[in-house]
Amino acid sequence: MTAPVGTRPPLHYLHEELEKLKELKLYQKLRLLQGEQLPVASFDGQRVVNLSSNNYLGLTTHRGLKKAAAAAVKTHGVGSGAVRTIAGTMDLHMQLEEQIARFKHTEASVVFQSGFVANAGTVQAILGEGDLIVSDELNHASIIDGGRLSKAERKIFRHRDLNQCEEILQETQDWTGRKLLITDGVFSMEGDIAPLAELCALAEKYHCIMMVDDAHASGVLGRNGRGTVDHFDLHGRVDIQVGTLSKAIGSMGGYICGSRDLIEFLYHRGRPFLFSTSHPPSVTATCMAAFSLLESPAGEKLIKKLWSNTKFFKRRLKRLGFNTGESQTPITPIIVGEAAKAHEFSRELFQEGVFAQGIGYPTVPKGKARIRTIVTATHKRKDLEEALDILERVARRLKIL
Ligand SMILES: *Cc1c(COP(=O)(O)O)cnc(C)c1O
């Protein structure tokens, strides 16, 4: 018998919500990684080919980056001890930001504690009530949260649908507030690329601020991994570029690139910048070493390997007959339909030695549940061959193929 509402602990409803998730088979246990984030790694005590990390270039375990982190601990300690605007701006922080701005060919750059807060903090800071956000439906949660925090009005266009985007911009031609057109550069669940040149043209035609979130494109697309703006040669046409330091860069953090005014404004109004402590020096030094690597022949070689692995893996998945959607990047979904099926597929794959996360509603639309695979530069051909064999075997058993 359940106790009357008044006598239950006040957080009891959370338990009930969790029970509901279990009934719907949406309850997820955290997988435990033992040791380093590697292309073949040990999770929950099981050796698996790891197709679930965003460690595109294998930098989480790069020797040079580890050395840089350790050296910074020696010279600068393990923490910054304050927020950036009080006493927490170290020489390393400024050096990294200058390095990123040069890399991205923008006037200036500012680093936030994560990609998530870079987006949320920036959108919230630059817009307010009476402003408008025009956003792709599959944009990242941090963009959505930033929009909510800004109190601006939000209008959503269907994924990569330029016609609907322009319809919205036409309908709001006489909007008196500011307008922001915002897209992910590479979409994290589909692995497809935004039509950025066309979106820039729309932003220019309708006088919108243009913002792109290149979390999954940094270190992956463009010369030396400069992202989608470089990939499409749109330098100077995107007002705000977002990148993450947590994916290909191999460490943690997020950054905004743009004009000097934009960056200085964020120093004054970016709430995570003002109210949350800056990165430990080791993180900053790691990122500096990572950007130096990207611009070196060794970095170029890693990006090349990432793409040759990507092409190999995609070609083989297609040949096996998997539905891999519209992906154009190292993120390749394998779409199976119902969420329960995707989670079963993922579970069985794990048992057999492949870690590929199952993803269902509400992260992706109903009926489009999938497992998501991400290859990296550090996967060996034989790792990918092994994964493909297991994928085929399990898919046939579950009648996915
Ligand atoms: C991962 C991701 C982020 C968040 O980056 P973190 O550095 O992990 O906080 C933001 N935007 C997109 C599109 C992402 O894929």
Side-chain angles (χ1 to χ4, degrees), residues 54 113-119 138-143 183-189 213-216 242-247 251-254 331 372:
N54 302 312
Q113 297 84 353
S114 72
F116 194 103
V117 300
N119 265 327
L138 295 189
N139 277 348
H140 193 259
S142 53
I143 293 176
T183 186
D184 283 11
V186 169
F187 290 87
S188 55
M189 295 299 147
D213 175 2
D214 256 347
H216 281 284
V242 186
T244 179
L245 305 168
S246 327
K247 290 176 173 139
S251 182
M252 151 134 260
I331 302 172
R372 182 176 68 157

Side-chain angles (χ1 to χ4, degrees), residues 65-252:
L65 272 59
K66 286 187 186 179
K67 265 195 186 156
V73 170
K74 281 223 173 90
T75 56
H76 287 69
V78 294
S80 78
V83 302
R84 288 286 300 272
T85 49
I86 298 182
T89 295
M90 297 173 118
D91 50 1
L92 292 177
H93 295 132
M94 296 311 290
Q95 286 162 20
L96 172 61
E97 287 168 350
E98 281 159 24
Q99 188 180 8
I100 294 174
R102 271 198 311 276
F103 180 73
K104 289 285 208 169
H105 302 312
T106 57
E107 267 179 37
S109 145
V110 58
V111 170
F112 285 85
Q113 297 84 353
S114 72
F116 194 103
V117 300
N119 265 327
T122 299
V123 173
Q124 177 195 19
I126 61 166
L127 299 180
E129 222 166 327
D131 295 337
L132 175 69
I133 299 171
V134 181
S135 176
D136 187 290
E137 67 180 337
L138 295 189
N139 277 348
H140 193 259
S142 53
I143 293 176
I144 297 168
D145 285 13
R148 288 179 182 153
L149 288 165
S150 75
K151 301 203 177 74
E153 184 148 342
R154 279 163 289 145
K155 294 192 185 285
I156 311 298
F157 58 90
R158 278 185 301 273
H159 181 48
R160 295 203 303 161
D161 187 333
L162 292 163
N163 289 329
Q164 204 192 13
C165 177
E166 180 152 20
E167 269 169 36
I168 294 172
L169 292 170
Q170 250 161 13
E171 284 162 14
T172 53
Q173 269 206 79
D174 300 324
W175 193 270
T176 51
R178 300 178 182 94
K179 292 182 285 188
L180 173 72
L181 179 53
I182 186 163
T183 186
D184 283 11
V186 169
F187 290 87
S188 55
M189 295 299 147
E190 312 290 321
D192 54 358
I193 305 174
L196 197 58
E198 292 81 355
L199 289 170
C200 282
L202 285 175
E204 285 155 7
K205 183 170 171 192
Y206 294 94
H207 304 292
C208 302
I209 303 159
M210 184 70 221
M211 178 163 170
V212 60
D213 175 2
D214 256 347
H216 281 284
S218 311
V220 174
L221 280 175
R223 283 169 301 151
N224 304 82
R226 282 182 172 78
T228 53
V229 173
D230 190 79
H231 176 73
F232 289 116
D233 198 14
L234 297 168
H235 291 285
R237 293 179 64 189
V238 173
D239 301 293
I240 307 176
Q241 294 186 54
V242 186
T244 179
L245 305 168
S246 327
K247 290 176 173 139
I249 299 301
S251 182
M252 151 134 260

